[in-house]
Amino acid sequence: MKDPHSKSPADAAASRTVSRVVPEPTALKALAHPVRLRMLGMLRIDGPATATQLAGRLGLNSGATSYHLRQLAQYGFIEEAPHASRRDRWWRASHELTSVPSNQAAGEALDLDIAFNQAALSLQVGQMQQALEEYAELPAEWRKATAADDVIIPMTSDQAEALTKRLRDIILEAMRAAPPLGDAASRKSDMVPFFVMLHAFPYPGRLPHRNEEDEP
């Protein structure tokens, strides 16, 4: 009997490595800026672009976008992209995914972690609001694929960590089976970038806050 979980040669060939970056604290600090996060997302989703092109999309001047691009390049988030045009400098994302592991440190490292998550949350809330505004105009099949769910489950910290890891693994598996971001030519005609956000946390106000006695 065939193992229902086994992959066919075609499925195995479709799976690929997803390039990712795990930023050091200094790099994370550079990335914790709403404009840089948006620019990095654009380069990942839409492919290479120039400072002028990004400025037009963001409603900024090219000098500002050039500065933010240099900051992203300095810490390895983006790199120059080969292009036939020698007149303009083209940039591309160096990785498809940014992984920020849970930070157990205190002090400045924890502050950087919080600052990055705040910038990411601001960007995500904006994307969610725009998605809601466009929802009524979506084709029916994409409205069916859209979700805005929240579930609250009693759990221990170990159980909660195991659940979030499992959810991340499922999402990463789907990403491995999909064409690379920014490579529209490799997508099927009915494929579009699909935004999946995972927020998981203890229900606010149900755990005692840390105080000085808890510090290591």
Side-chain angles (χ1 to χ4, degrees):
M1 179 181 294
K2 182 178 179 181
D3 180 356
H5 300 291
S6 65
K7 292 184 178 181
S8 69
D11 291 336
S15 183
R16 61 185 183 83
T17 299
V18 174
S19 58
R20 67 168 82 190
V21 59
V22 182
E24 295 294 329
T26 304
L28 191 62
K29 181 178 181 180
L31 188 59
H33 190 291
V35 171
R36 290 175 202 159
L37 282 174
R38 288 185 66 191
M39 290 171 64
L40 180 57
M42 289 176 176
L43 292 174
R44 284 177 173 173
I45 295 169
D46 300 318
T50 66
T52 301
Q53 291 172 336
L54 291 171
R57 297 179 202 173
L58 292 166
L60 301 172
N61 62 65
S62 58
T65 53
S66 292
Y67 169 75
H68 289 305
L69 286 167
R70 288 195 299 272
Q71 291 296 305
L72 289 170
Q74 179 179 344
Y75 293 101
F77 294 107
I78 65 172
E79 59 194 12
E80 287 196 58
H83 199 272
S85 172
R86 296 185 178 181
R87 181 178 178 181
D88 297 306
R89 197 175 189 182
W90 288 74
W91 296 95
R92 65 184 177 192
S94 303
H95 315 86
E96 291 180 74
L97 193 63
T98 303
S99 294
V100 182
S102 299
N103 197 327
Q104 297 182 5
E108 184 179 4
L110 181 57
D111 291 341
L112 291 175
D113 191 12
I114 293 172
F116 171 78
N117 279 286
Q118 182 62 61
L121 179 61
S122 297
L123 176 62
Q124 291 163 0
V125 169
Q127 294 284 2
M128 291 171 67
Q129 182 62 48
Q130 185 176 348
L132 180 60
E133 292 168 1
E134 297 177 0
Y135 180 78
E137 307 302 324
L138 290 178
E141 62 268 24
W142 281 108
R143 289 201 302 272
K144 287 173 63 178
T146 301
D149 304 326
D150 60 84
V151 180
I152 303 171
I153 311 168
M155 285 187 161
T156 66
S157 59
D158 288 342
Q159 290 171 330
E161 183 181 358
L163 177 61
T164 54
K165 181 183 183 304
R166 184 178 177 188
L167 293 172
R168 287 193 186 104
D169 288 345
I170 291 171
I171 295 169
L172 188 57
E173 181 182 351
M175 198 171 182
R176 289 193 188 106
L181 278 171
D183 186 4
S186 66
R187 294 184 204 149
K188 296 179 182 178
S189 60
D190 59 348
M191 280 184 168
V192 298
F194 190 66
F195 202 162
V196 180
M197 285 179 274
L198 174 61
H199 293 276
F201 47 85
Y203 194 86
R206 300 304 174 97
L207 284 173
H209 290 190
R210 294 177 59 177
N211 54 46
E212 294 182 1
E213 295 179 357
D214 298 323
E215 299 292 342

